[in-house]
Amino acid sequence: MIDSHCHLFYDDIFNDLDNKIKFAYSMGVTNFLTVGTDNKHMLQNIDIANTYDNVVCSIGIHPTEYACGYNIKEMFELTKKYNKIVAIGEVGLDYHYTDLAPKEKQLPLFEEMLQLAKDTDLPIILHCRECFSDDLFKLIKQYTDNAVFHCFTDSLENAKKIINEGFYLSLTGIVTFKNCQELREVAKYVPEDRLLIETDSPYLAPIPHRGKTNEPGFVRYVAECICEQRKCTLQHLSNITDENFYRLFPKSKIMLSKNNI
Ligand SMILES: [Zn+2]
Ligand SMILES: [Zn+2]
């Protein structure tokens, strides 16, 4: 099983990283994509991926981090220098936090990141919140077809649009929360070849750890909840989500040859 979206560089995880990875193994979670959010942690995140055979990474500027002082040329160079960078992300629009990041700041950043994905020919990890519209899909399509909407929490209707546009959809521990019935409908609906699973750790710990620090091993709880909805085995879900992961992030196949556990 793969945690397709975690942030291994945040202190809560990084300070005990060896043990977090060991624990994840014991849960059947063997590979990880640690996702970038800002300029400050970018090199540390790449370094983590270079340290562990079964970790790959992405670089990107989160919409609320528009003022973090990134350099787009440097980001481009990093993707050429490090094989372990398999995607651009997380990038997108977050209209829940417009007080932190006004819309007029978010949009140009997003377009710059989409252009970076196009220039580097890398897939995109999208953080899109309260911003779904036909214009959003049109905008993304101008740059790429290879993208995943991470931490999807929106309506079944918007999940259908994502799938119809040919994109991937990824679910976090929120799918286990009692009040999120519609999300479990989404978990049932997403076609086998479009679904990814993630923790978004250290945030969003699933039940039975809700409210505590999340960690990559907990993606198993996300998977088990989705299995209940889809009436399939953990092995099956693990197989299809692994396949989807390697199809969307082809550079991450680098992990397969070195990971015989
Ligand atoms: Zn996000
Ligand atoms: Zn994230």
Side-chain angles (χ1 to χ4, degrees):
M1 216 180 310
I2 302 174
D3 185 357
S4 74
H5 186 123
C6 49
H7 303 288
L8 302 183
F9 51 86
Y10 285 132
D11 285 351
D12 280 341
I13 297 180
F14 184 73
N15 291 341
D16 195 23
L17 188 52
D18 278 346
N19 282 327
K20 300 287 187 209
I21 286 185
K22 253 184 229 160
F23 171 74
Y25 278 21
S26 76
M27 296 287 275
V29 184
T30 53
N31 291 343
F32 316 87
L33 199 173
T34 177
V35 175
T37 53
D38 63 11
N39 193 49
K40 188 175 145 214
H41 297 97
M42 198 175 308
L43 294 179
Q44 184 193 1
N45 200 34
I46 297 169
D47 197 44
I48 292 169
N50 285 334
T51 305
Y52 294 87
D53 282 347
N54 50 356
V55 177
V56 288
C57 68
S58 67
I59 58 172
I61 309 300
H62 189 281
T64 57
E65 297 287 346
Y66 68 92
C68 71
Y70 63 95
N71 178 320
I72 201 79
K73 193 164 174 286
E74 183 194 342
M75 291 174 76
F76 178 85
E77 300 298 332
L78 287 171
T79 66
K80 299 296 156 200
K81 190 171 172 193
Y82 295 108
N83 243 342
K84 283 275 188 125
I85 301 174
V86 304
I88 300 302
E90 55 184 289
V91 302
L93 299 172
D94 191 324
Y95 288 172
H96 186 75
Y97 285 117
T98 45
D99 50 339
L100 274 177
K103 288 182 183 180
E104 63 272 21
K105 298 284 186 192
Q106 293 193 31
L107 194 58
L109 167 65
F110 186 29
E111 286 178 311
E112 208 174 4
M113 293 294 135
L114 285 164
Q115 186 63 47
L116 178 65
K118 189 174 180 180
D119 293 343
T120 55
D121 202 21
L122 287 171
I124 298 192
I125 300 163
L126 293 166
H127 172 106
C128 291
R129 196 168 173 201
E130 295 176 19
C131 64
F132 284 93
S133 69
D134 292 343
D135 284 350
L136 174 72
F137 292 117
K138 249 186 243 161
L139 174 67
I140 299 164
K141 283 275 177 180
Q142 282 171 28
Y143 295 89
T144 186
D145 290 322
N146 299 317
V148 55
F149 284 80
H150 114 89
C151 191
F152 182 82
T153 54
D154 215 281
S155 63
L156 181 60
E157 189 192 338
N158 280 328
K160 287 181 177 172
K161 283 187 185 160
I162 287 172
I163 300 306
N164 288 339
E165 294 289 343
F167 298 121
Y168 292 79
L169 185 155
S170 180
L171 294 172
T172 57
I174 294 177
V175 75
T176 69
F177 295 178
K178 278 198 180 61
N179 57 346
C180 295
Q181 185 51 38
E182 188 170 8
L183 207 49
R184 285 187 284 281
E185 295 300 320
V186 171
K188 249 187 265 183
Y189 157 76
V190 181
E192 287 210 333
D193 63 348
R194 295 287 130 183
L195 179 65
L196 292 179
I197 51 174
E198 60 168 298
T199 56
D200 204 13
S201 52
Y203 311 113
L204 302 173
I207 288 174
H209 298 284
R210 188 172 179 180
K212 300 196 188 117
T213 302
N214 200 1
E215 57 181 286
F218 292 172
V219 80
R220 174 151 178 171
Y221 298 117
V222 180
E224 283 172 348
C225 174
I226 297 172
C227 286
E228 267 175 47
Q229 302 306 314
R230 298 173 74 94
K231 311 242 180 295
C232 72
T233 62
L234 191 60
Q235 187 61 53
H236 181 71
L237 189 79
S238 166
N239 288 346
I240 61 167
T241 51
D242 283 10
E243 267 176 41
N244 295 341
F245 181 87
Y246 290 118
R247 192 184 320 110
L248 175 61
F249 305 114
K251 276 180 79 184
S252 63
K253 285 180 184 152
I254 198 171
M255 295 193 294
L256 287 171
S257 54
K258 292 183 178 169
N259 188 32
N260 300 314
I261 45 170

